[in-house]
Amino acid sequence: MDIAQEFLQTFNRLESYLNQLVEGDGHYPFYTLIDKVKSRQIFIARHESFLKYMANIRNLIVHDEYYPKRIVLTPDASIVDKFKSITQQIISAPKAIDIASKDLKVYGLNTLLIDVLQYIKERDYSQIIIQKDDGQYGLLTRKTISRWVERNIHDGTVNLKNIKLTQVVSLEKKQETAYIATQKNIYEVASLFADQQKRIQAIIVTQDGQASSQPMGLISFWDVSRAIVGEG
């Protein structure tokens, strides 16, 4: 296979994958595909200019009136190697469930706070998963527990006796929790953490990415950071 054919094969492979990510009907132009996914695929956003440049090269080749008998342009081998590497990283990126912590314990709102504090201390966790009265799942973070403690200090002490999670979770900020489907990739996970407006503390992984579905994993910022460093 010559360099031009290798380039076109790589382009077609990536274009097909991006169409799957969009999950829409029909076939979108490559530029449109990039624009549709870049907001939730941080790695693609980082390489947007290069990928669109690859689309321009591809168009010059395949829109030539004598194609495929004549290849009007052959990309430099180093460019094709870079394109192949980026494409492979996009297509083969680990899924959300692959990098998630799966040692999960879900607490109901009637659980005593002191029991949760003991569990967090033993595991050195920053948050736990809770199930709310409406059946949806969410997080209770150390930060929220600290908020509750600050508001309930009296004469230098805090009375934890008979305090249940239902008395604490009202202080949890909803926007600090996100949900993602098991088969979404790590770049979509990273994009959620990169949203400065939401300031996500952790991401709950479910089969379909819905808050009412059974948690299958939990991803912290450090989980995705380690995974991306490993990819690099």
Side-chain angles (χ1 to χ4, degrees), residues 111-189:
T111 305
L112 291 175
L113 175 60
I114 195 167
D115 292 337
V116 169
L117 288 173
Q118 184 63 34
Y119 179 75
I120 288 176
K121 178 182 177 182
E122 290 173 356
R123 302 299 183 94
D124 194 27
Y125 285 169
S126 297
Q127 59 274 315
I128 59 163
I129 298 177
I130 58 172
Q131 186 171 24
K132 304 173 186 177
D133 291 335
D134 60 4
Q136 294 196 343
Y137 296 89
L139 293 179
L140 178 62
T141 64
R142 279 188 172 186
K143 184 188 295 186
T144 296
I145 294 174
S146 295
R147 289 191 198 115
W148 182 88
V149 169
E150 289 171 0
R151 294 186 183 191
N152 289 274
I153 294 177
H154 301 288
D155 298 325
T157 63
V158 178
N159 182 11
L160 298 178
K161 186 177 180 180
N162 298 325
I163 300 299
K164 297 181 178 180
L165 297 189
T166 189
Q167 298 166 259
V168 183
V169 294
S170 60
L171 299 179
E172 188 72 45
K173 294 182 179 179
K174 186 176 181 180
Q175 67 268 28
E176 293 182 346
T177 305
Y179 306 86
I180 198 165
T182 55
Q183 295 305 302
K184 298 296 186 182
N185 67 33
I186 60 172
Y187 303 126
E188 191 153 348
V189 174

Side-chain angles (χ1 to χ4, degrees), residues 70-88:
R70 180 183 74 178
I71 301 296
V72 70
L73 173 65
T74 298
D76 186 82
S78 63
I79 295 293
V80 176
D81 286 343
K82 179 179 179 180
F83 186 34
K84 287 169 59 180
S85 175
I86 290 173
T87 296
Q88 185 63 25

Side-chain angles (χ1 to χ4, degrees), residues 37-46 178 180 185-200 203 221 224 228:
V37 304
K38 66 183 181 182
S39 65
R40 53 189 174 89
Q41 294 281 338
I42 196 169
F43 186 76
I44 290 176
R46 185 184 307 160
I180 198 165
N185 67 33
I186 60 172
Y187 303 126
E188 191 153 348
V189 174
S191 295
L192 289 172
F193 280 113
D195 189 335
Q196 293 299 311
Q197 292 183 326
K198 293 185 178 180
R199 298 184 180 276
I200 300 299
I203 299 172
F221 173 79
V224 71
I228 289 177

Side-chain angles (χ1 to χ4, degrees), residues 10-79:
T10 301
F11 183 91
N12 292 338
R13 184 175 174 225
L14 178 58
E15 186 177 38
S16 176
Y17 178 76
L18 293 178
N19 268 293
Q20 293 175 34
L21 284 185
V22 171
E23 299 175 346
D25 297 327
H27 185 86
Y28 293 99
F30 191 82
Y31 266 50
T32 302
L33 290 170
I34 295 294
D35 290 338
K36 280 181 172 289
V37 304
K38 66 183 181 182
S39 65
R40 53 189 174 89
Q41 294 281 338
I42 196 169
F43 186 76
I44 290 176
R46 185 184 307 160
H47 295 285
E48 176 185 1
S49 295
F50 179 79
L51 293 173
K52 288 183 174 179
Y53 176 50
M54 295 300 96
N56 293 338
I57 293 176
R58 178 262 183 191
N59 291 340
L60 286 172
I61 295 173
V62 302
H63 292 162
D64 178 66
E65 61 179 318
Y66 296 108
Y67 175 83
K69 291 183 178 180
R70 180 183 74 178
I71 301 296
V72 70
L73 173 65
T74 298
D76 186 82
S78 63
I79 295 293

